[in-house]
Every structure is written in C-alpha cells, then in structure tokens.
Amino acid sequence: MKNYKIGLLRGDGIGPEIVDSAVKVLKAVGEKYQIDFTFTPYLIGGAAIDACGEPLPKETVEGCLASDSVLLGAVGGPKWDTLPGNFRPEKALLGIRAAMGLFTNLRPAKLYPALKGACPLREDIVKDGFDIMIVRELTGGIYFGERGYRQGKYGEEAFDTEAYSRMEIERIARVAFETARKRRKKLTSIDKANVLETSRLWRKIVHEIAAEYPDVEVSDMLVDNAAMQLVRNPSQFDVIVTSNMFGDILSDEASQITGSIGMLASASLSDNKRGLYEPIHGSAPDIAGQNKANPIATILSAAMMLLYAFDEAAAAEAIVNAVDKVLEVGYRTADLTRENALSTTEITDKIIEAL
Ligand code: NAD
C-alpha cells in the first residue's frame, strides 16, 4: 500500500476544525483507493506564538520540508492583531512559502451549478457558469522586495519595492502554459505594462515562452481591465497568470463571484511538486469553535493534493464528485443557506457517505 506523509498545519480559528474534516475525508478515500496516510501536526500562526513565542518555529519548517505534502487550515485572529509585523501569525505564511520554495499558487474559481443562487452577479452574466484557474506568482514581487521607512521631503515616508527576475517570470509562465494545456488551452497574462517596468519584462518573457506552446492561445490584459472583466464576463477566462500582488487581489475577487469563500481550495507548488494545500479563506474568528465552518474548501484542497502532489487522480476526482453530489442534493453549511444548515462535522459525514 502506498504511504504519504502529510504535515498538518491546523493553525488558528476554524483551522483545526476544517483540517480535521479534511483528514477524515482523506482517510475515507484512502481506504477506498488503498492509500495510507501518516499525518503529523505542526504548530503555526497564533497557536505557535502562544506555545513557543514565534509564528513559524524551526520544527515546523523542518517537519514540512520532511513531509511529502502539507495541509494548512488558516492562521491569525484578533488575539494577535496588535503584535508587530514580524511576530504576527500571517508572517508564518510568507515564511513557510519561502522555506518550501512555493513559487506557484493555483487557485481555481468555479461556479458550482448548485450554488448559482449564491453568486452576486446577474443571472444573464453567469448563465453559462465559469471555471477559472488563477496561477499566481507567490515568492517574488512587491511582497518580498525591499521595504522600509525613511524621512522624505514631506517627513515620514514608507516604501515597498517590486522586482521580478527573468527566472521568476519564466518558471511561473511555464507552469501557467502547462496548466492551460491541461484545460481549455486559453491563457490570459495580466499585468500593468502601461506603467510598470516589472510588467513590461513580464509581458516580454510570457510572449517568448508562448513560442514553446503553440497550442495555447495567449493574450495580455491590464490588471484594471481584468478586475472589470471578471465581473462583466467571467466565462471568457480559462487560465490566468499574474504577479504576486495582482494575483492576491484578483483571486479574492474571483472567489467572491463564486458565491462562497468557504468553497475555494488552493495549491502552492514548488519545482519538485511538493506542495502546500490550503483553503483560500482566513481563520474566520467570528465562527471559530462553533462547528459552523464550511470545510469544503479544505476538503477540496486535500483533493488537489491527491492530484498534484501524489498523482492520485481517481481518488481526487472521487472527492470532487462527492462534494458535487452533496451540494446537488441540497446540503449546505451556514455560509450558504439560512435554513437547515448542517454543521462542519455533519457535512463532512455527508461527503464521506457520498464517497
Ligand atoms: P476570513 O476569510 O477569515 O473571514 C471572512 C468572512 O468569511 C467571515 O465572516 C467568516 O466567518 C467567513 N468565512 C471564512 N471562511 C469560512 C468558512 N470556511 N466557512 C464559513 N464561513 C467562512 O477573513 P478575515 O475575517 O478578513 O480574517 C480573519 C483572520 O484570518 C485574520 O487574522 C486574517 O489575517 C487571517 N487570514 C488568514 C489567511 C490564511 O491563513 N491563509 C488568509 C486570510 C486571512
């Protein structure tokens, strides 16, 4: 029997509840497909600050690097909001991404037919649904550039710097083209080339790499237009590739138009495919510990792990189909319905039954 070592980063708020749900589903699918998992929990975020005074302890980084893959819940909460930047739970996210070399973030944004009612866009706009994969660069750009405070002409001033190297753009562009090749073969590269030098280099390199993928149709779009097109006509997009900050913003917009942030998974990948899988939402402190959270985003993140990290396509598809089935029957958590909402554990059990 195959065995995969999975590092679990439960984190804070609803993190522990949703990760436990995904673990239950992985165990169930493992039984069906003869896959064995060894789960090892590590501390991260506020929980790590409380236990050992820092958001990303050395043992956590070492444990994640030694795992075959990592499943993360979410970090952060009001308890730690007043700590200085470097000691905040969210700092651990940037730290673990950098330590694991996770330069690619894959974020699917799909409108589930059963959840069309939850989509805030007009019916005629989403009548054909949409299924977008956002490929976001994750370890470069302005979030990792030089930053600081200084005295400027008008007194106190702060600055952040955006830099992208050829290597960083080439490797994310290749991931995007490969991803498009496995889907509808349409890639939109999003930048701000009318203003930013980094975007002009980005565009030039994406066009160069395009020559290696003649089967993929590629086009450029300015980020301001992209923000508009996502709500005007989301079905025009298949795969989107963009920089760290633009991807951060556009993927949240894309998630919002699907109707629920509690549904969307993500994968962060490195060269060797070892990855970190997590829901796109945060730690939802307002509902933490109440067995109310929607675990589907985390369960679908586990499905992405099976597919991308372990090449277990059948097991991954089984999870996705089970989620589809449960939604079609009409089961919902409180974020998706006002009436007869199921709890975190109840909907998890329904998904396991559907498997
Ligand atoms: P959030 O995503 O935690 O919550 C936004 C809203 O969505 C809340 O009303 C919440 O109850 C709801 N929600 C989120 N996930 C849900 C789920 N699975 N089921 C049902 N409802 C859900 O965003 P926020 O409130 O801006 O941030 C809360 C904390 O999370 C902050 O400390 C923030 O820094 C942190 N955060 C962490 C991550 C991460 O760990 N990757 C990402 C974003 C925010």
Side-chain angles (χ1 to χ4, degrees):
M1 192 135 103
K2 285 166 282 189
N3 181 288
Y4 301 114
K5 283 188 287 176
I6 300 181
L8 295 180
L9 302 176
R10 289 192 170 87
D12 310 314
I14 60 170
E17 301 163 58
I18 54 179
V19 168
D20 289 350
S21 285
V23 165
K24 272 199 224 166
V25 172
L26 279 173
K27 282 182 179 161
V29 86
E31 267 174 37
K32 204 172 156 196
Y33 289 88
Q34 311 296 308
I35 310 167
D36 195 23
F37 300 102
T38 308
F39 298 102
T40 313
Y42 299 100
L43 288 169
I44 193 165
I49 294 172
D50 288 352
C52 43
E54 52 179 328
L56 184 63
K58 202 168 119 244
E59 298 73 46
T60 297
V61 174
E62 286 170 0
C64 290
L65 290 175
S67 303
D68 293 322
S69 192
V70 177
L71 186 65
L72 167 72
V75 300
K79 183 177 175 192
W80 307 281
D81 273 350
T82 51
L83 291 172
N86 271 351
F87 295 96
R88 287 187 55 138
E90 294 80 1
K91 185 74 188 169
L93 295 177
L94 298 185
I96 194 73
R97 283 172 193 162
M100 292 178 72
L102 305 173
F103 65 88
T104 302
N105 187 219
L106 296 182
R107 276 203 192 188
K110 179 174 148 188
L111 183 66
Y112 285 82
L115 297 180
K116 259 190 191 160
C119 173
L121 299 182
R122 271 198 337 254
E123 223 181 296
D124 58 308
I125 295 178
V126 292
K127 63 178 187 322
D128 301 326
F130 57 83
D131 180 0
I132 307 169
M133 177 68 85
I134 298 190
V135 179
R136 167 187 168 195
E137 200 290 325
L138 204 59
T139 49
I142 197 161
Y143 293 176
F144 289 88
E146 198 192 328
R147 73 192 57 188
Y149 280 88
R150 64 190 169 201
Q151 281 303 309
K153 199 167 152 200
Y154 302 105
E156 190 183 22
E157 199 173 84
F159 66 95
D160 301 275
T161 320
E162 163 117 341
Y164 266 113
S165 66
R166 167 169 283 275
M167 181 278 287
E168 287 171 314
I169 301 170
E170 274 183 4
R171 68 181 181 183
I172 194 74
R174 283 212 170 81
V175 173
F177 278 104
E178 293 289 338
T179 308
R181 201 167 241 183
K182 289 189 197 123
R183 291 172 47 103
R184 300 192 302 278
K185 300 189 172 48
K186 197 174 165 217
L187 177 64
T188 311
S189 171
I190 293 174
D191 61 38
K192 186 73 183 164
N194 53 343
V195 180
L196 301 176
E197 282 305 340
T198 42
S199 283
R200 286 192 269 270
L201 181 65
W202 181 282
R203 198 175 270 211
K204 184 175 106 174
I205 293 172
V206 167
H207 290 186
E208 283 173 22
I209 306 282
E212 297 168 28
Y213 298 88
D215 52 325
V216 176
E217 178 197 331
V218 63
S219 58
D220 306 302
M221 193 179 279
L222 294 174
V223 64
D224 36 353
N225 185 24
M228 201 168 68
Q229 293 300 332
L230 270 174
V231 290
R232 243 185 111 215
N233 179 15
S235 63
Q236 71 184 283
F237 295 108
D238 175 16
V239 177
I240 285 174
V241 62
T242 191
S243 65
N244 202 342
M245 182 165 68
F246 295 160
D248 189 5
I249 298 165
L250 292 177
S251 57
D252 266 19
E253 186 187 359
S255 67
Q256 197 50 46
I257 58 172
T258 65
S260 173
I261 195 167
M263 296 290 304
L264 298 176
S266 81
S268 303
L269 308 176
S270 65
D271 275 331
N272 63 6
K273 281 196 163 186
R274 170 190 286 142
L276 185 144
Y277 297 79
E278 60 178 314
I280 67 149
H281 58 72
S283 59
D286 51 333
I287 55 165
Q290 298 172 33
N291 198 20
K292 269 190 192 167
N294 184 351
I296 292 179
T298 318
I299 291 169
L300 292 175
S301 301
M304 285 184 90
M305 176 191 285
L306 288 172
L307 181 64
Y308 289 100
F310 307 144
D311 275 329
E312 299 283 357
E317 201 181 321
I319 295 180
V320 173
N321 289 342
V323 168
D324 280 350
K325 211 185 284 174
V326 162
L327 292 172
E328 261 158 39
V329 177
Y331 294 120
R332 305 274 189 274
T333 41
D335 53 318
L336 299 174
T337 179
R338 284 172 206 276
E339 283 158 27
N340 305 321
L342 296 192
S343 67
T344 311
T345 44
E346 282 168 342
I347 198 140
T348 306
D349 290 343
K350 293 290 177 204
I351 292 168
I352 291 170
E353 268 171 40
L355 269 173

